[in-house]
Amino acid sequence: MYPRELTIPMSKDLTAFGFSSLSTSEEVNEALGNMEGTALLVVNSVCGCAAGMARPGAKMSVQNEKAPDHLYTVFAGVDKEATATAREHLLPYPPSSPSIALFKDGKLVHFLERHHIEGRSAEIISANLQMAYDRYC
């Protein structure tokens, strides 16, 4: 677990952009459990690929004609309980951070695991997500 104080700037990178931080299991289940519409969930991380690729790519992606109705984030290594619950919603995929998921009506419809993020530019990640938005949003 990382000290929350050290990760505040990394969290604010998304929350200042309009993502809602989910820090408890209850918040995750309320947000994703019985939702209608679409939601983007970013499993945030302290790693370089989160800072250089995942967070910028997620933020760029929502500057699209079609975009998710809701934007959420959990922080792996900080909000342990919330992240574990979020990962239940991401099954059958194994734990991966960072990662980015798109849900429609409570069902996972598109998922970028860490290995889809590493080594790719924020622009490629954004374009991948925008194609999913065009299909599901």
Side-chain angles (χ1 to χ4, degrees), residues 34-119:
N34 296 314
M35 65 164 282
E36 291 185 15
T38 54
L40 187 69
L41 173 69
V42 175
V43 179
N44 204 349
S45 173
V46 299
C47 71
C49 60
M53 298 158 220
R55 291 192 301 262
K59 292 188 302 185
M60 283 191 306
S61 75
V62 297
Q63 307 301 312
N64 191 43
E65 186 176 321
K66 292 184 177 183
D69 301 316
H70 308 282
L71 304 174
Y72 299 117
T73 182
V74 295
F75 207 116
V78 178
D79 299 316
K80 184 178 179 181
E81 191 180 300
T83 302
T85 301
R87 287 178 170 155
E88 290 173 12
H89 291 271
L90 299 173
L91 291 172
Y93 295 97
S96 180
S97 57
S99 60
I100 306 171
L102 180 66
F103 293 86
K104 181 171 183 158
D105 297 329
K107 295 186 180 2
L108 179 64
V109 293
H110 189 75
F111 189 54
L112 295 176
E113 297 175 81
R114 181 186 178 102
H115 69 87
H116 297 123
I117 295 169
E118 286 180 309

Side-chain angles (χ1 to χ4, degrees), residues 4-50:
R4 185 173 301 279
E5 304 78 38
L6 295 177
T7 61
I8 289 173
M10 296 171 225
S11 293
K12 283 187 178 178
D13 191 16
L14 292 175
T15 58
F17 195 78
F19 283 75
S20 297
S21 180
L22 306 174
S23 56
T24 67
S25 290
E26 292 78 19
E27 289 174 344
V28 171
N29 284 329
E30 184 178 315
L32 301 178
N34 296 314
M35 65 164 282
E36 291 185 15
T38 54
L40 187 69
L41 173 69
V42 175
V43 179
N44 204 349
S45 173
V46 299
C47 71
C49 60

